[in-house]
């Protein structure tokens, strides 16, 4: 798995246009970011990576790459 794959899955999970999000995107500043997208992201991490993300993980991260780092660490 690569950060590019994660970005693609992230983009799909929050229903954004393909190619509109990059690893360095500060996702909380996106116009469509809301609590439902946070739940979609948590579900995506569980379904696609078998990783449990918590609200604190989302709150403490800034970019999509920050979230990818958390997912990678928990994947082992």
């Amino acid at each position: 798995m690569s950060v590019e794959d994660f970005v693609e899955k992230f983009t799909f999970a929050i229903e954004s246009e393909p190619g509109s999000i990059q690893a360095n995107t500060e996702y909380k500043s996106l116009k469509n970011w809301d609590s439902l997208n946070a739940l979609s992201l948590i579900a995506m991490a569980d379904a696609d990576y078998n990783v449990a993300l918590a609200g604190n993980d989302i709150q403490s991260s800034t970019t999509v790459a920050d979230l990818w780092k958390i997912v990678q660490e928990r994947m082992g």
Side-chain angles (χ1 to χ4, degrees), residues 6-75:
F6 184 78
V7 169
E8 186 176 317
K9 290 176 187 292
F10 179 99
T11 302
F12 181 78
I14 68 165
E15 300 178 354
S16 288
E17 290 294 318
S20 65
I21 296 175
Q22 306 300 319
N24 64 350
T25 298
E26 294 183 7
Y27 61 90
K28 289 181 242 175
S29 67
L30 295 170
K31 289 181 183 179
N32 66 331
W33 181 257
D34 60 17
S35 59
L36 291 177
N37 283 327
L39 292 174
S40 294
L41 179 59
I42 290 168
M44 180 272 291
D46 182 42
D48 293 343
Y49 298 98
N50 199 28
V51 168
L53 283 179
N56 288 341
D57 298 323
I58 293 170
Q59 187 175 18
S60 68
S61 60
T62 303
T63 65
V64 177
D66 293 340
L67 289 171
W68 172 237
K69 184 177 178 183
I70 293 168
V71 168
Q72 274 189 307
E73 289 171 357
R74 294 189 183 157
M75 284 174 39

